[in-house]
Each structure stands twice: as C-alpha cells, then as structure tokens.
Amino acid sequence: MDIKVLGTGCAKCKKLEQLTRTAVSELGIEATIEKVEDIYKIMQFGVMNTPALVVDGKVVMSGRLPGDKELKELLS
Amino acid sequence: MVKEMREKVIALNRKTNGWLLPLLMLPVWVLLYMNLQNIADLIIDDVVGMTAGKHLTETLRFFIFEVPKVMLLLVLIIFGVGIIRSYFSTEKTRKMLQGKSLLTGNVMSALLGIVTPFCSCSAIPLFLGFVEAGIPIGVTFSFLIAAPMVNEVALVLLVGLFGWKVALIYVATGLTIAILSGWLIGKLKMEKYVADWVYNVKANAEGVEEERLSFSDRIQKGFDSVREIVGKIWIYIIIGIAVGAGAHGYVPEDFLGSLLGKENWYGVPLAILMGVPMYSNAAGIIPIVSVLIEKGVSLGTALAFMMSVIALSLPEIIILKKVLKWQLIAAFVGIVAAGIVIVGFIFNYVM
C-alpha cells in the first residue's frame, strides 16, 4: 500500500504522520509512508485543506485529524 | 450497572439520530448559566468565607463568575457552529464563488469566510485552489480576511465581555473591511503580482470527493469541534480573564487613557502599529482588550488594535510571501490597515 501524508508542516500535519505510522504498524500492513511537504505537489492532489491523507493515489481525508478507529478504517 | 446504563443511553441516543444527548444537556446548560452569579457568590462567601467588598475577594469573584460564563457560551456556540460548518466545505465554497462578478463575489466570499471551516495553516493551499478555479484574487482576499477575523470564538468572547452591541459592531465592520478591501484589490488588477509558478500548478480539478454525512454524524462533528477548539483555547481564556480580573482593581483607572484615549488622534494608528507584529487568535486577544477598555482606551482604538492583531500579522505575511509578490502583499496590508484606521476613527468620534 502506498500512503502519503500531505501537509506543509503545521502541527496537525506532523501529528497525522505520526498517527499514520502508529496505525500502520498496529495493523501490521505492508505500506510505504511518505510525507509530502512541497506545496506544488500537494496542489496536484487537489487538496485545499491540510493535513490530508492519500492512499494509493486517492485522497481519502482532508482538513482534519481522524480518530484512531476512523484512521484504521481508512487504511485497511 | 453503570456500564449497562451507559450502553442503554448510547443505544437510545442512536435511535433518536443523535438528538437525545444534546437535548438532555441543554436544560443543564441553561440552569448552570442562569445561576452562575449565585454559584460564584456561594463559593466566595460561604465555602471559602472571604470578606465581601475587599479587593482580593471581588477580583476572585469576577474570575470565578467570568471563566465558566465564557466557557459555557463557547461550548454552546461552537457546538452549533460545528454542525452548521459540516454543511460547508472549501470545495463547495469554491464552486459557489466561481464565475461571480466582482462585488457580489466579494460579499459572498466574506460571508462564506465565516461558515467555511478554515485554519490559517491552510491559507496557501486554499489560495492556490481558488486561483486555480479562476476565482479573482480580490474575491479570494475577501475570504482570507474575513475567515480568521469574523468567527464564532470572537463573537462569543465579545458578547460575553462587552455585550451584543459591540459584538455586532465588530462583525459588521469586520465584514465591511473584508468586502471592500477585496473589492479594491480586485479593482487594482493585481493578478500579475501573484508568484509566477502559481499559474503553472495544474491541480486535479476533480478535487476531493464529498463526504456523505448523516445527521448524527453532524452532531458528532459538533462535539468534535467543541473538543478541538475549546481544548486549544481554554488556557488563553483563563489567562486572559485572570489578567483582566487582576487589572480590574490593581491598575489605576484611566492609566492608558492619556495615551490611547479618545482625545488623541494618533491613538488608532499607534494601536495598529503595535498590533501588526503581534500575532494572536481572537481567544487570546479579546480578554486583554477588555482590560484596555476598562483602563481608559477608547472603544474605536481598542477595536482597531484587536483587528490588526487578528487580521494582519507578520507570520501570515511571511507565509503569503511564498505565493505573492511584495507589491500585492503591500497592497493587502495597506488596504486592510487603512480600513481598520477608518473603523477606529468612526467609533472614536461617533460613540
């Protein structure tokens, strides 16, 4: 699975990356996690609210921090 | 036993589509709110047993009354606004603003700035997303000025500490500044002062898919936003009110009056010059402004100070520098500052 965390470096964006890493290791799934901070690249996903979560090239959530349960559903 | 009850309430709450819990909590809220003065008096006079009329006693009484009052108002309003916000999204707002003519676009954009969920850390992606969709920069600026300045937290604090009249004046003048500043920036045709690379971004026009929400999801969003916003700002409010309560009696009245009172024409520009380098959200600045007013600063000057702290700030300007050339930033700061000066003068001379 290919996971990207989009965010320019605000506190919430860092938090989302950390939450995602924890969730992935807890779920025990094979995934590459990449933090995208370049605003140019972020825009190409059509996202206007950071942080956002991209799974296999698709934006699944944007503009907020999901709860633990929701995050795991999004990832599995 | 307790666990069983809990499960029953949760099940019942689900059956009523999430309505039950807020409905049960409302009377508790009203009861608490109506009795705040009594509770504060009870704690101060009977439980702690302090002598009424003394300086420290009245300072504590003010604090114990004021903090829960503002907190209760915040919880109620943020919950309501959280539900309203769930009907709006940046994507929808962008669609609504597309193809609107200049003035209509500015008015709509400033109004949408109030209800659309917005975080200043997303200002850049939002700006790019709007430009990408062909929304004129003047209209985009109306949004970017109104969104942080006129919001539910500012409204609650103003109502709680100054009353309805000042709150309405603030909202009306804040919106007017957002609308007219955006309109003027649009008239100046400053599109060429947007950083060149912005126009090369080929954003995925489809954007993000709309989330489908049931009404109980929306109520949940109301609770979520209460937790998120109150969790973030409660400490500022307590500190602000503590400073307010402390200054209530200990700083001589009219202490600031000679410098920033009505008589001094330079009070308003001076307040703005002090306000721009400072950065705070509405939660941090409003309790302090209430102290300023008490100590002799006139209403117009205090409003100008508050608006310049919230709407214009160095960190924001530095962020905007990534996407705007300095000419446009200068125009933005200059126009908004001029608007705030005018508001300040009007209130100093009319009221």
Side-chain angles (χ1 to χ4, degrees), chain B residues 232-276:
Chain B
K232 206 161 58 187
I233 64 178
W234 68 273
I235 186 78
Y236 298 104
I237 288 169
I238 289 182
I239 292 173
I241 294 175
V243 172
H248 198 45
Y250 291 99
V251 180
E253 214 141 298
D254 228 33
F255 173 67
L256 292 165
S258 52
L259 187 62
L260 296 171
K262 233 180 193 183
E263 303 74 33
N264 289 326
W265 67 267
Y266 56 80
V268 173
L270 189 65
I272 293 172
L273 281 181
M274 291 195 299
V276 174

Side-chain angles (χ1 to χ4, degrees), chain B residues 15 29 72 76 96 108 116 124 132 143 188 191 214 264-265 270 276 284 291 298 316 322 342:
Chain B
K15 237 184 247 166
W29 188 97
L72 279 174
L76 184 73
M96 284 166 85
M108 274 181 65
T116 309
I124 299 281
E132 183 52 36
F143 185 92
L188 290 175
E191 267 78 4
S214 67
N264 289 326
W265 67 267
L270 189 65
V276 174
V291 180
S298 55
E316 196 198 346
K322 279 191 200 166
I342 294 169

Side-chain angles (χ1 to χ4, degrees), chain A residues 45-47 59, chain B residues 91 94 203-209:
Chain A
F45 287 98
V47 163
V59 180
Chain B
E91 283 76 20
R94 179 166 75 168
N204 170 352
E206 309 254 316
V208 183
E209 253 176 63

